[in-house]
């Protein structure tokens, strides 16, 4: 593999990696489909982070677990429908092994045969704040990101069956290292209403046209999830542990402006209707709907960060180049989670932008796939053992545009895959003349929000707002 830019021969005892940090970063930043890196983390101390080791390090510290039913229904188990307990890892391990001590512990109300538990999205910098030396057990510098360690990573610990509903990540691309067991990884912002393990094809008939890319991630492997790829995750071993890190991209700045606009609309309209409304526009893991003043501050900060990034990028690169996408931002923003469908006509508006299909094919030929970098290829949806799943539609709905909206209940992707092109439209009854029945046409606040947070509307508002600020 001449193009792989492998390292020179290693000294005796030195860990041999198939790609240099520079080449690995190039792959991460340019690859537009999921892939698995092998033989890249053999010398990372984090590979020894099994559940018993972490239990000893945490030394009785409690963390929050999300619990869901192992039964599979037509509707995904979103965070709003899960239960939560705080427990030590020792208590979690005892419960997952069926020990009698669990009869009186935090898991006492949850029978292991019926429930799964997931300590998901745990910031390593927080849970190990009194042990900062452990951050260096994770070395993302081997992937071309010097200085990135456990401090910029999150930890995931799950029991068999623990899962994350199909979703996409609003910001950056995602690197996922498997430590123990096989598969779980995740986190995102935008959730699909389709339960891909048991899809409701009457409600989402176009899901029949999707193609799943399935991979079972084993210890020591690192999965790359490109920006805005839909993915579903499920733990298939008794105890699984993963570590991930989101790699920031230049496009994230405008995305945060769009997010700030969306949040202002949702909070203002929903709070005006009924402040105690239980609609799941925000997840229970988030703070309650924030005030207009706070949302406005966030919007101004997002706009300021956007122009700061643009100015820095222009001063460093007076001429445009492909490396612009590699610019990183240290700004952080909590990911917002909402359920989504997809507006089919709006999606098709993006299908011919930038000739992305040709660009993608040309780039793919330059990627050094082989035993050290494995493509995650399309597979039949009847795959018996599902681990991580990324899903794309057939050629009629696959999008080739450069950017896509990704906030609110409606969603269109730009570069990659569409999980579902069905909106949850009201089932209005029709009169004999074909017009909606008057008694069934009362529009709700949610109907209005569905239109206002349409990705194309939000993107247009963001661009107009940035133009106004620029002037």
């Amino acid at each position: 593999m001449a193009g792989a830019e492998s390292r020179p021969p290693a000294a005796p005892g030195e860990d041999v990696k198939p790609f240099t940090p520079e080449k690995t970063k190039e792959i991460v930043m340019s690859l537009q489909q999921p892939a698995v890196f092998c033989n890249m983390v053999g010398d990372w101390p984090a590979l020894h982070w099994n559940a018993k080791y972490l239990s000893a390090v945490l030394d009785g510290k409690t963390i929050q677990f999300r619990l869901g039913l192992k039964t599979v229904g037509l509707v995904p188990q979103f965070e709003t429908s899960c239960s939560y307990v705080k427990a030590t890892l020792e208590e979690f391990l005892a419960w997952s092994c069926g020990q009698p001590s669990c009869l009186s512990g935090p898991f006492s109300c949850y029978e292991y045969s019926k429930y799964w538990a997931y300590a998901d999205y745990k910031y390593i910098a927080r849970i190990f704040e009194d042990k900062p030396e452990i951050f260096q057990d994770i070395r993302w510098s081997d992937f071309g990101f010097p200085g990135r360690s456990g401090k910029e990573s999150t930890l995931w610990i799950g029991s068999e069956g623990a899962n994350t509903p199909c979703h996409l990540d609003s910001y950056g691309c995602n690197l996922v290292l498997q430590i123990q067991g096989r598969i779980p990884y995740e986190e995102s912002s935008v959730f699909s209403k389709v339960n891909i393990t048991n899809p409701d094809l009457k409600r989402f008939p176009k899901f029949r046209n999707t193609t799943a890319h399935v991979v079972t991630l084993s210890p020591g492997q690192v999965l790359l999830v490109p920006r805005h790829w839909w993915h579903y995750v499920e733990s298939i071993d008794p105890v699984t542990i993963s570590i991930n890190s989101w790699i920031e991209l230049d496009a994230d700045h405008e995305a945060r402006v769009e997010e700030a606009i969306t949040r202002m609309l949702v909070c203002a309209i929903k709070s005006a209707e009924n402040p105690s409304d239980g609609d799941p526009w925000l997840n229970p893991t988030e703070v309650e709907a924030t005030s207009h003043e706070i949302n406005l501050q966030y919007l101004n900060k997002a706009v300021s960060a956007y122009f700061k990034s643009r100015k820095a990028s222009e001063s460093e690169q007076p001429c445009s180049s492909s490396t612009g996408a590699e610019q990183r931002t240290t700004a952080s923003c909590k990911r917002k989670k909402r359920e989504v469908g997809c507006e089919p006509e709006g999606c098709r508006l993006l299908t011919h932008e930038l000739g992305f299909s040709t660009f993608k094919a040309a780039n793919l030929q330059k990627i050094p796939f082989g035993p050290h970098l494995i493509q995650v290829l399309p597979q039949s949806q009847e795959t018996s053992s599902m681990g991580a799943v990324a899903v794309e539609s057939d050629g009629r709905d696959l999008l080739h545009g450069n950017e896509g909206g990704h906030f609110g209940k409606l969603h269109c992707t730009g570069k990659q895959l569409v999980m579902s092109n069905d909106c949850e439209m009201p089932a209005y009854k029709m009169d004999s003349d074909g017009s909606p029945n008057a008694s069934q046409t009362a529009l709700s606040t949610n109907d209005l929000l569905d239109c206002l947070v349409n990705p194309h509307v939000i993107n247009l508002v963001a661009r107009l707002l940035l133009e106004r600020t620029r002037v």
Side-chain angles (χ1 to χ4, degrees):
M1 233 185 295
E5 295 185 16
S6 299
R7 294 178 181 272
E14 181 183 347
D15 182 66
V16 179
K17 300 184 189 300
F19 307 113
T20 64
E22 295 76 19
K23 183 60 181 179
T24 308
K25 181 177 182 180
E26 179 186 326
I27 294 171
V28 169
M29 290 299 189
S30 62
L31 192 54
Q32 302 297 322
Q33 69 175 55
V36 176
F37 287 93
C38 301
N39 307 312
M40 286 292 295
V41 298
D43 59 345
W44 287 24
L47 284 184
H48 303 293
W49 285 20
N50 59 38
K52 289 185 177 180
Y53 170 79
L54 291 177
S55 177
V57 173
L58 288 172
D59 192 24
K61 185 174 185 178
T62 61
I63 55 179
Q64 181 168 271
F65 287 84
R66 176 166 61 93
L67 292 104
L69 289 168
K70 290 183 177 181
T71 54
V72 179
L74 292 175
V75 179
Q77 292 190 61
F78 295 115
E79 295 187 7
T80 49
S81 62
C82 290
S83 300
Y84 294 84
V85 300
K86 285 191 174 181
T88 64
L89 266 185
E90 185 177 6
E91 290 169 327
F92 165 74
L93 289 173
W95 173 74
S96 65
C97 295
Q99 293 183 11
S101 59
C102 295
L103 296 176
S104 59
F107 293 100
S108 59
C109 296
Y110 305 96
E111 189 177 334
Y112 179 74
S113 62
K114 297 180 179 179
Y115 288 88
W116 49 258
Y118 207 4
D120 52 359
Y121 205 14
K122 305 304 177 189
Y123 290 103
I124 291 176
R126 291 180 185 172
I127 62 175
F128 295 112
E129 59 185 350
D130 56 339
K131 298 178 176 64
E133 65 278 2
I134 205 171
F135 300 160
Q136 303 310 313
D137 287 4
I138 302 165
R139 304 168 180 173
W140 296 114
S141 57
D142 287 337
F143 285 75
F145 303 100
R148 183 175 286 263
S149 65
K151 192 175 183 180
E152 294 82 22
S153 305
T154 51
L155 181 67
W156 311 80
I157 304 172
S159 66
E160 184 175 2
N163 66 82
T164 299
C166 184
H167 67 279
L168 60 82
D169 298 327
S170 288
Y171 307 130
C173 58
N174 190 2
L175 290 173
V176 187
L177 166 63
Q178 193 66 18
I179 301 294
Q180 179 179 347
R182 291 170 295 166
I183 212 50
Y185 75 93
E186 86 79 53
E187 208 16 41
S188 93
S189 300
V190 185
F191 282 75
S192 171
K193 292 180 180 179
V194 181
N195 184 352
I196 67 170
T197 62
N198 187 29
D200 186 345
L201 296 178
K202 290 183 179 179
R203 184 179 174 190
F204 305 104
K206 291 187 178 180
F207 188 78
R208 296 179 187 273
N209 301 327
T210 59
T211 302
H213 296 236
V214 183
V215 60
T216 297
L217 199 63
S218 298
Q221 294 181 331
V222 176
L223 174 65
L224 166 64
V225 182
R227 185 174 188 259
H228 289 180
W229 269 70
W230 292 97
H231 49 285
Y232 164 86
V233 186
E234 181 174 339
S235 305
I236 58 177
D237 283 332
V239 176
T240 57
I241 297 176
S242 302
I243 294 170
N244 87 300
S245 188
W246 284 278
I247 307 301
E248 297 90 350
L249 302 173
D250 209 31
D252 294 345
H253 290 292
E254 186 172 343
R256 288 191 174 96
V257 175
E258 294 177 355
E259 181 181 51
I261 295 170
T262 302
R263 190 177 186 91
M264 286 190 70
L265 286 171
V266 171
C267 290
I269 294 177
K270 293 301 291 184
S271 62
E273 178 191 49
N274 184 358
S276 61
D277 192 350
D279 283 352
W281 284 84
L282 298 178
N283 270 358
T285 53
E286 294 190 81
V287 295
E288 61 185 6
T290 45
S291 68
H292 179 75
E293 290 73 19
I294 292 177
N295 290 334
L296 188 60
Q297 290 176 19
Y298 175 62
L299 175 60
N300 279 285
K301 288 180 180 179
V303 170
S304 177
Y306 170 85
F307 284 110
K308 185 177 181 181
S309 173
R310 283 285 300 271
K311 184 176 180 180
S313 179
E314 290 169 0
S315 63
E316 292 175 9
Q317 299 180 34
C319 298
S320 63
S321 71
S322 60
T323 57
E326 298 181 12
Q327 299 296 320
R328 295 174 54 203
T329 171
T330 56
S332 63
C333 177
K334 183 176 180 180
R335 292 168 167 76
K336 308 296 181 285
K337 307 178 179 74
R338 301 179 183 94
E339 304 170 29
V340 300
C342 185
E343 202 279 324
E345 293 303 320
C347 286
R348 295 191 184 105
L349 292 175
L350 301 175
T351 54
H352 299 296
E353 292 182 18
L354 300 182
F356 183 75
S357 182
T358 303
F359 171 79
K360 179 180 177 181
N363 264 12
L364 207 57
Q365 294 178 357
K366 301 177 183 178
I367 302 298
F369 292 116
H372 306 299
L373 182 64
I374 303 171
Q375 287 179 275
V376 179
L377 299 173
Q379 296 184 26
S380 166
Q381 280 195 280
E382 283 74 35
T383 303
S384 59
S385 177
M386 297 184 71
V389 181
V391 180
E392 70 178 344
S393 68
D394 62 13
R396 292 174 298 170
D397 296 315
L398 182 61
L399 307 181
H400 304 309
N402 183 42
E403 294 297 331
H406 48 280
F407 299 105
K409 282 192 172 181
L410 299 179
H411 175 81
C412 291
T413 56
K415 297 181 181 177
Q416 60 298 325
L417 306 181
V418 179
M419 167 55 72
S420 170
N421 278 339
D422 288 273
C423 292
E424 185 184 22
M425 300 302 291
Y428 296 138
K429 294 181 180 179
M430 307 299 287
D431 285 333
S432 58
D433 62 356
S435 61
N437 186 306
S439 64
Q440 297 289 324
T441 56
L443 295 174
S444 68
T445 304
N446 284 346
D447 293 322
L448 175 61
L449 276 174
D450 275 342
C451 296
L452 289 176
V453 300
N454 181 291
H456 299 294
V457 175
I458 293 298
N459 182 261
L460 176 61
V461 172
R463 291 178 182 274
L464 290 172
L465 194 63
L466 291 171
E467 282 297 320
R468 177 186 292 266
T469 309
R470 190 195 311 274
V471 174

